[in-house]
Amino acid sequence: MRTSATHSAQGRYARLRLLAAAVTAGAISLTALTACGSSDDSSSSSSSSPSSTASTPAKAAAPVTVEDPWAKAADSGMTAVFGTLVNTTDAKVTVVSATSTVSKKTELHEVADVEGKPVMRPKKGGFVIPAQGHHQLQPGADHLMLMGLDKAVKPGDEVTVTLTLKDGKTVRFTSVAKAFAGGKENYSSDMKSGMDSDMKKG
C-alpha cells in the first residue's frame, strides 16, 4: 500500500511537471509571436508612410534679389526706387524693363552730366549685373523712375516693383517709401528711342 501510494504520488508529480512545462512553452511562443507582430507592424508603418521617403524639392533661387530697396516719397508726378540689385547666378544678368503698382510707367534711368548739369535719361542697354556681382541703384546715379503716379506715395507706403530680365524671367520686390530731398535732376527723353532699339536687338 505504501509502495502503491508512493508510485501514485510520483505519477501525479510527473504529470504536474509536464503540464507546467507545456504552459511555459505556450507562454514563450505567444510572447515571440507578439514581438514579431509588433516588429512587422512597425516596419510596415514606416515603409508605408510617404513622409519618411519622399523628399521636398528645393525652391530655385531667384536670379536677382534686391537688397535695401526704398522709394522716394512724392505727392504726384514722378518718383524713384533705389536699392542694390544682386546677381545670384554665375552669368551676367540684364534688367531690361520694370513696372510698379503705383505708376503708369516705369523706366530704367541713369544720371549723366550734360553740359555741366545732371540729367536723368533712359539707361541704354538696361542694368547689367555681373555674375555673382551687384549693381547699385542710388540717387544721382542709376535708378528706377516711376512716371505718372496713380496716387501720392507717402512715407511708409509700400511700392511693389516687377523687374523683367533679358531672358524673360521676372523678379518682384517691395520697397518702402521715405522722405528724401535729393534726386531732383532734370529729365531728358533724348535716348528713349535708342534704348528701345537696343532692347529689341537683345
Side-chain angles (χ1 to χ4, degrees), residues 18-163:
L18 288 173
L19 181 59
V23 171
T24 302
I28 292 174
S29 299
L30 181 59
T31 301
L33 288 172
T34 303
C36 290
S38 176
S39 176
D40 291 342
D41 291 345
S42 176
S43 174
S44 174
S45 176
S46 62
S47 63
S48 64
S49 175
S51 61
S52 63
T53 55
S55 57
T56 303
K59 185 178 180 180
V64 173
T65 60
V66 185
E67 294 182 350
D68 303 320
W70 63 280
K72 177 185 176 183
D75 291 329
S76 61
M78 299 186 295
T79 190
V81 171
F82 311 98
T84 303
L85 306 178
V86 180
N87 182 354
T88 64
T89 74
D90 294 323
K92 73 176 182 179
V93 173
T94 303
V95 179
V96 296
S97 64
T99 59
S100 88
T101 54
V102 298
S103 64
K104 294 179 176 63
K105 189 176 185 180
T106 301
E107 292 185 352
L108 280 54
H109 277 193
E110 66 177 352
V111 175
D113 188 294
V114 177
E115 298 180 353
K117 295 181 180 180
V119 175
M120 291 187 301
R121 61 188 184 187
K123 177 77 171 182
K124 185 177 181 180
F127 299 148
V128 180
I129 316 170
Q132 295 295 335
H134 65 276
H135 186 85
Q136 193 73 35
L137 304 181
Q138 59 187 5
D142 289 353
H143 57 277
L144 295 166
M145 198 71 193
L146 280 53
M147 310 171 72
L149 292 178
D150 296 322
K151 59 180 181 179
V153 178
K154 302 294 185 180
D157 287 352
E158 291 187 346
V159 177
T160 299
V161 176
T162 300
L163 305 176

Side-chain angles (χ1 to χ4, degrees), residues 171-190:
V171 175
R172 179 179 295 181
F173 68 94
T174 299
S175 56
V176 177
K178 65 179 183 179
F180 182 70
K184 295 181 179 180
E185 296 85 3
N186 293 321
Y187 173 64
S188 171
S189 60
D190 294 343

